[in-house]
Amino acid sequence: MTGWALLKHSFGMVERNFGAAVRISVVLMILMMVVSFLLSSWVVANAQVLVSFGAAGAVAFQLVIGLISMVITAWIAVAWHRYVLMNEAPRGWIPTFHGSNIINYVIWALVLTVTYVLFLAPVGVIAFGWLFPEISQPGGTPDAGPGQVALIAIVFLICFLAAIVVLARFSPVLVSRALGQRLGLSEAWKATQGSSKAIIGLFFWSFLIGFVVMFCLSFILALLGGVAGLIMLPFMIIAQWFLSIVSISVVTTIYGHYVEGRELSLQ
């Protein structure tokens, strides 16, 4: 199994179920943007109130926005996982709110995010201390040669890819919560045994396609400029929406293929 096969199946999943993808996600994504806009507008209109709370107020505001975004994103992801893997078709334009499943999904998403950060943070600290040892000395200044920078960049890239593999192999835990199951980390790791190479390939192709799409749209937007550039804005939003749904589909594909043993459709 290759990374391209996993990605192609995920693209096909969205293409074959485009109508359902729209009904499951569009209204909730609009809701998320509206809520973020209203909260941001409130901050602008009540800046003095927020300033009076100091840094704690700013942090709390960001946490509120982040939590709302995570819940709505989890709502979409849970609905999509259940539609694809359990044939739970959406009723209307707002998917069913499976409260406990969504809460568990958010909790485990936070656990995996913290795991990712803790995995890379020590590497970053060690790299910084190795590249800039003079900073810890009084009056010292950073002095890193190109060889050091290149070496640490390679090490960081390797660690970054390792973290991506770990997250992807643990991702079935998220999908299982969406389905109302309780797959453990060790079970997810065992089920995805032998998938590391495919996951790295999947990340490469996903990054490449996403970068090319957004770069081309941003370039056209900058080229047109002014009012004409606004014409491209809806296309950028649609592209971001599509890539987001494909990302959720990738996680769905990993679970369906490696945990449930489903065959991939490569047509």
Side-chain angles (χ1 to χ4, degrees), residues 92-107:
W93 287 87
I94 299 180
T96 302
F97 186 83
H98 296 279
S100 60
N101 303 66
I102 292 171
I103 291 173
N104 284 327
Y105 201 96
V106 170
I107 291 173

Side-chain angles (χ1 to χ4, degrees), residues 77-222:
V78 167
W80 184 247
H81 296 324
R82 294 178 69 89
Y83 169 72
V84 173
L85 300 172
M86 298 178 63
N87 295 318
E88 185 178 285
R91 299 176 180 178
W93 287 87
I94 299 180
T96 302
F97 186 83
H98 296 279
S100 60
N101 303 66
I102 292 171
I103 291 173
N104 284 327
Y105 201 96
V106 170
I107 291 173
W108 276 99
L110 289 172
V111 169
L112 294 183
T113 300
V114 171
T115 301
Y116 176 78
V117 172
L118 292 178
F119 189 92
L120 288 182
V123 179
V125 172
I126 293 173
F128 190 86
W130 183 55
L131 286 173
F132 309 107
E134 296 83 357
I135 289 181
S136 61
Q137 301 175 5
T141 56
D143 182 21
Q148 286 179 304
V149 174
L151 180 59
I152 199 61
I154 293 173
V155 173
F156 190 83
L157 177 61
I158 293 173
C159 293
F160 174 76
L161 290 176
I164 291 295
V165 169
V166 170
L167 284 182
R169 293 188 60 179
F170 281 158
S171 66
V173 172
L174 290 175
V175 183
S176 74
R177 268 50 185 188
L179 305 181
Q181 301 172 4
R182 293 293 183 269
L183 188 74
L185 292 175
S186 60
E187 295 172 300
W189 189 263
K190 183 178 180 180
T192 55
Q193 186 175 1
S195 65
S196 299
K197 184 177 179 181
I199 290 171
I200 292 176
L202 171 65
F203 170 78
F204 169 78
W205 287 112
S206 300
F207 175 82
L208 181 62
I209 293 174
F211 175 80
V212 170
V213 170
M214 297 312 298
F215 175 81
C216 290
L217 289 175
S218 299
F219 178 77
I220 296 174
L221 183 62

